[in-house]
Amino acid sequence: MAPFRRGIKGRGGPSLRGRGGTIGRGRGRGRGRGNSTAANGRKSTFYSTRVEEAHKHNSENDQAVSEEFGQEEVSFSNSSGDDVDLATASIVKPYNTLLRSLDQNVRHEQLPPKRRRLAQEQEINGSLRSPAIIEIARSDEGKDLDSVEEPESDGNISPDEPDEGDSFDPETDDSHDYFFKHFTAIEDKALTSCIKDVVESRCTTRRLAVQSEWKLSSTSCKSLSIASEPTTRKLLSTKDFQLKHKLQMKAKQGLPSDNRLNGILASSIFKYQDLLFCDRVPTIASDLRTLTCLHALNHIFKTRDRVIKNNARLSKADTTEDVEYRDQGFTRPKVLILLPTRQMCLKAVDSIISLCEPEQQENKKRFQDSYSQTNDEFSPDKPEDFRELFGGNDDDMFRLGMKFTRKTVKYFSQFYNSDIILASPLGLRMAIGTEDSKKQDHDFLCSIEIVIVDQADALLMQNWEHVEYIFDHLNLQPKETHGCDFSRVRNWYLDGNARFFRQTIILTAYNTPEINRLFGHNMLNIAGKVKICKESYEGAILDLGIQVKQAFSRYDSPDLLADPDARFNYFTTAIVPSLTKFPRAQSTNGQGILVYIPSYMDYVRVRNFLVSSTSTQNISFGSISEYTSVRDVARARSHFFSGRHSLLLYTGRAHHFRRYLLRGVRKVIMYALPDNPWFYREIVDGYLTRSVSEGSIDIADASVRSVFSKWDILKLERIVGTKRCGAMVMERAGDTFDFL
C-alpha cells in the first residue's frame, strides 16, 4: 500500500524510515509522533483560498471553537519541544568525554528515553532538508538507546561458558520429540521430495470447523508425515509437547487447561508448524504471549542442551573414531520476535522472565529505563485495542538481544551472542542497513528457526515494507564465518534450505492481502502451516447504536493493479458531482461531509483533485492526515464544525494513531473500506450519533456511503457480514446495496 518507492520509506509518503512521514515514524499523538512543524509547519501549497477562506475578521465564535478543539493538542505541542532535547540528550557520542572536559555546561545525568518527534522537512539555507536525516547520520557516529559495545564471540555456544552446563533432563525417546523430528530425523531423500512439493505448491489442504467459532485450514506436504493433522482437543497436559522440565510447572500455571483455543494453537506451535491466527483480541493477548514465549524458550533450551551434550560426547570420543554431530546453525540467534512498540516488547520480556525465572539479570535497570514508562491516561472514549497498543512506551524504534545461560539472562547482548532478538520492523531494518550501504549486515538472521510476529495488524499501520524486507533477508547464506564450526552445522543449512525448516507464527486481529501474501510466499515450512480465522462475521453494520442509512456502491475493477485508478475514476464521476448538489455551507451550519480515505496515496490524489479541478470550485474543504501538524488539525476540526469547511478529508492512519472525536459530521463517505471493522463502528456510530445527540442533525438526514470492489472482499466481509458479502460481490442485477 506504500504510495512512494524511494529508498526506505513509510506506508504513506516519501521517507527514510518510520511510518511513512518525511523520514519520521511519527503519527501525531504527541511525545514525538508528529507534532513538529516541519512538513506541515510551513505553509502548504494546497492551502489555497479555496481550502481555507481567509477571513481577516475571524468571528469570536470561530475562535472559541478553535480553542475548544485545540485544547487537547496544545498539551501535546507544549511537551514536544522538550522531547527533542530529551531524545538528543539520551544519545551518547563517542567524543562526549572530550566535550565534557571542554564544556562545563554539558549535563551529566542520564535522562529518561523519549520518542523522537516526527521528523519533517524544514527549509535550511534555501534548500529543503530533513532534520531526521541529519539525526540518522549523526547516530552512525554514536549509539542509540539499544546500542551494544560487546565483542562478537566465536561459534554458536561456546564450550567454555561456565553457566551453559544446564542439568539435562532424564533420557527420553527422541522419536516422540517434535524438536528432534523436525530438525534432525528427516532423511535427505524425503527432504528433497518435500521441498519440491512446497516450492511447486503440491501440498494437501484440509479444512474443518473449530467450536463453530473458528475455521481452520491445514496445509501439509504429501511426501512427509512428520506433523499429523492438527487436533482440536484441549491442552490437557504440557507433557504432550515435550517441554523442558524447568518450564513445565510455569506452563501449567500460565496456560489454563480448560481453554480449548490454547490447545488448538499449541498443537500446531509445538509441532513446529507455521501458524497464522487471525482473531487476536486484547482479551486473549496475554495467553497468546505466554504460549509463544514458552515455545521460544523451550526451543532455545533444547538447542543449547543438545549442543552442550554433544560437546561432552566429542570430548570423550576416541580420537581415532570419525564422530560427527551436526546440531547448529551458522550463528547463535535462533528466535526473532517482531513487535510494534517498546511497551509490547516489555510485556514479552516480562513473560519470558516469568517463565524461566533466572537467578541473575544483567543490564536489567538499563532495560527498565529504556522500555518502561508510565501508562498514558487516555480519555474514557478510547477503545481497548488503542489502550493496549499505545499505553506505556509506544516508541516503534527498538531492537534488543537476549542471551540465556544456565543462571543468567543478559539484556542488550550483541546480536551474534544472543539467543532471542526482539525488535520492531523499523529497528531491525535500521540494524540491517540498506542494500547500497557498505555496513549492511544480515548474517545474524541466517540461522533464525522461529519467527513470531505479534500484532501484525498494527505493523501494517507502521510500514509493512519493513516486515517484507526482514523476511527477504531471513535464512540467507552468511557473508562471513563469525567463528562458525562448519563441522557442526546441519546439512540443510549448508545446502541453503534453512527457510524450509523455519517456523513462522503470525498473530493478527484480522486478515489482509498483505498478510495473506506473507502466508503464501514466505511461510514455506515443511512441517506444514495452519491458518485459523473466524468462522463467520455478523458484520459491523449490525453493531451500530444508531439506525442510519448505509449504502454500499460497487464499481467494476477487472485488474487488481488498476484498482486504485478505477476507484478514483468512480469517486470523481459518481461521488463528487453529488457533493456539488448539496447546499453551500453557511457560517453556522455546514454540510458536514466526512470523506474517510484509508490510504495516504489515495488521500493525496483526492486532495490534489479537489484543489485543481474546476468541478470542485464551490467545495471548501479541510484535511487531516497522519502528518498534519497539531495546529492544523485543530484548525481543520474547528472550521469543519463551524461550517466554514463543508468537507473534511480524513485518513485511516490518522484515525488509527489518534482516534479523533470529530464533531459536525452529518454524512460519511468511505472512499475505501477500512481493514479494521472497529473503524467503521467508531466513525459511523461515534460521529453520527454525537451529531444527532447534539441536535445538529436529524437522524433521517444522516447517511453513509461506502465504495468497494471485488478486491475488497476481506474488508467487506467484516463490515457487512459473511452472509451478505458473497451476494454483494457477485450480484449482477445492481451495484448499490442499501441497509438501514
Side-chain angles (χ1 to χ4, degrees), residues 77-233:
S77 180
N78 290 339
S79 63
S80 61
D82 298 334
D83 293 343
V84 176
D85 296 335
L86 293 173
T88 305
S90 64
I91 299 176
V92 183
K93 303 295 182 182
Y95 46 82
N96 269 2
T97 304
L98 177 61
L99 293 179
R100 289 192 182 100
S101 64
L102 298 177
D103 187 0
Q104 299 299 326
N105 295 327
V106 176
R107 293 179 294 179
H108 293 270
E109 65 273 16
Q110 290 292 331
L111 297 176
K114 289 284 187 178
R115 180 191 173 89
R116 296 190 188 97
R117 299 172 59 191
L118 169 66
Q120 301 181 359
E121 292 180 344
Q122 289 184 340
E123 190 170 354
I124 303 177
N125 297 328
S127 61
L128 290 177
R129 297 184 60 190
S130 173
I133 297 179
I134 301 174
E135 185 64 34
I136 294 175
R138 291 176 177 173
S139 65
D140 291 338
E141 304 173 1
K143 57 181 181 179
D144 56 19
L145 294 174
D146 300 327
S147 64
V148 177
E149 294 182 358
E150 178 184 73
E152 178 183 338
S153 62
D154 293 336
N156 282 266
I157 299 179
S158 179
D160 59 351
E161 292 183 1
D163 290 337
E164 292 290 349
D166 193 7
S167 58
F168 302 120
D169 294 337
E171 292 293 335
T172 58
D173 185 4
D174 283 342
S175 62
H176 298 291
D177 190 346
Y178 292 116
F179 175 85
F180 173 79
K181 291 195 293 184
H182 182 67
F183 293 105
T184 307
I186 308 176
E187 298 180 356
D188 292 342
K189 184 176 180 180
L191 176 60
T192 302
S193 178
C194 188
I195 291 177
K196 186 176 181 180
D197 288 346
V198 172
V199 173
E200 297 179 358
S201 301
R202 296 187 305 182
C203 299
T204 303
T205 301
R206 302 181 181 91
R207 292 179 173 84
L208 57 126
V210 182
Q211 264 185 338
S212 69
E213 187 174 353
W214 298 283
K215 56 183 178 182
L216 183 150
S217 62
S218 172
T219 304
S220 58
C221 296
K222 295 181 179 180
S223 306
L224 207 61
S225 59
I226 293 179
S228 59
E229 182 178 351
T231 62
T232 58
R233 62 182 174 81

Side-chain angles (χ1 to χ4, degrees), residues 302-365:
K302 285 192 174 185
T303 300
R304 183 189 64 188
D305 285 358
R306 183 168 294 273
V307 171
I308 295 176
K309 185 184 293 187
N310 289 338
N311 288 344
R313 290 172 177 172
L314 285 172
S315 64
K316 297 177 181 179
D318 190 345
T319 55
T320 61
E321 298 179 3
D322 187 11
V323 181
E324 184 180 70
Y325 294 104
R326 294 195 174 272
D327 52 14
Q328 301 179 15
F330 295 112
T331 56
R332 179 165 180 164
K334 292 295 180 288
V335 178
L336 172 64
I337 304 178
L338 295 179
L339 301 155
T341 64
R342 286 181 181 260
Q343 179 67 17
M344 292 298 105
C345 180
L346 176 65
K347 291 182 178 181
V349 171
D350 288 344
S351 181
I352 291 173
I353 297 302
S354 65
L355 289 171
C356 66
E357 293 185 330
E359 296 182 11
Q360 300 176 3
Q361 300 181 48
E362 293 187 31
N363 300 328
K364 181 179 180 180
K365 185 179 185 302

Side-chain angles (χ1 to χ4, degrees), residues 438-718:
K438 296 181 179 180
K439 297 182 180 180
Q440 187 187 33
D441 180 18
H442 50 76
D443 286 354
F444 57 87
L445 299 175
C446 68
S447 299
I448 294 294
E449 295 173 349
I450 296 178
V451 177
I452 301 171
V453 182
D454 195 11
Q455 291 180 285
D457 52 301
L459 301 183
L460 280 166
M461 286 293 182
Q462 294 181 359
N463 192 328
W464 189 251
E465 289 188 4
H466 292 340
V467 178
E468 294 175 337
Y469 185 87
I470 292 169
F471 271 87
D472 289 341
H473 289 78
L474 287 172
N475 303 122
L476 301 179
Q477 295 294 90
K479 298 179 180 179
E480 300 179 10
T481 61
H482 302 283
C484 174
D485 181 2
F486 288 93
S487 65
R488 301 286 295 274
V489 177
R490 292 187 171 101
N491 289 325
W492 41 267
Y493 270 114
L494 299 174
D495 296 337
N497 293 325
R499 61 192 175 115
F500 298 106
F501 288 82
R502 183 188 72 235
Q503 180 188 30
T504 304
I505 302 171
I506 299 180
L507 308 176
T508 177
Y510 45 82
N511 198 7
T512 67
E514 295 86 352
I515 296 176
N516 257 341
R517 183 183 184 279
L518 198 68
F519 181 78
H521 294 271
N522 296 91
M523 298 168 71
L524 305 174
N525 195 342
I526 59 174
K529 55 186 177 182
V530 176
K531 180 191 293 186
I532 302 177
C533 303
K534 294 195 67 172
E535 176 66 24
S536 63
Y537 291 90
E538 294 296 328
I541 60 176
L542 300 180
D543 295 336
L544 304 181
I546 182 176
Q547 288 189 345
V548 60
K549 293 178 293 186
Q550 303 173 69
F552 292 83
S553 301
R554 188 188 66 208
Y555 62 92
D556 292 331
S557 178
D559 185 7
L560 177 60
L561 296 178
D563 185 65
D565 294 332
R567 187 185 304 273
F568 179 75
N569 291 334
Y570 182 85
F571 178 81
T572 55
T573 57
I575 305 295
V576 172
S578 64
L579 301 181
T580 59
K581 296 179 181 179
F582 290 116
R584 288 290 302 273
Q586 303 299 323
S587 59
T588 59
N589 189 16
Q591 298 177 23
I593 303 174
L594 176 69
V595 180
Y596 173 83
I597 309 177
S599 168
Y600 184 82
M601 179 181 67
D602 290 334
Y603 158 79
V604 173
R605 194 175 189 180
V606 171
R607 183 190 62 181
N608 293 353
F609 174 79
L610 294 178
V611 169
S612 59
S613 176
T614 57
S615 62
T616 60
Q617 291 181 353
N618 295 330
I619 300 178
S620 176
F621 74 98
S623 60
I624 298 177
S625 73
E626 55 269 35
Y627 310 121
T628 306
S629 67
V630 173
R631 182 177 180 180
D632 289 341
V633 167
R635 181 187 295 111
R637 294 174 66 181
S638 170
H639 291 177
F640 181 70
F641 177 66
S642 64
R644 180 177 298 180
H645 288 164
S646 59
L647 186 144
L648 178 65
L649 304 181
Y650 188 42
T651 65
R653 293 174 67 206
H655 187 73
H656 171 77
F657 292 119
R658 279 312 196 72
R659 306 293 173 94
Y660 289 115
L661 293 179
L662 302 178
R663 301 177 64 186
V665 178
R666 305 167 188 275
K667 300 180 185 297
V668 176
I669 296 176
M670 295 279 184
Y671 183 86
L673 296 173
D675 282 314
N676 192 339
W678 282 101
F679 287 7
Y680 188 87
R681 298 186 185 98
E682 293 166 2
I683 293 175
V684 175
D685 191 12
Y687 296 170
L688 293 180
T689 299
R690 183 170 185 176
S691 297
V692 172
S693 62
E694 291 178 347
S696 58
I697 187 176
D698 188 85
I699 190 172
D701 297 328
S703 65
V704 182
R705 184 173 182 180
S706 304
V707 178
F708 73 96
S709 71
K710 63 180 181 180
W711 308 110
D712 298 326
I713 187 169
L714 292 177
K715 306 175 185 179
L716 187 66
E717 180 186 16
R718 292 188 286 266

Side-chain angles (χ1 to χ4, degrees), residues 715-730:
K715 306 175 185 179
L716 187 66
E717 180 186 16
R718 292 188 286 266
I719 292 177
V720 303
T722 304
K723 295 180 180 179
R724 307 174 187 86
C725 178
M728 294 175 63
V729 172
M730 304 302 297

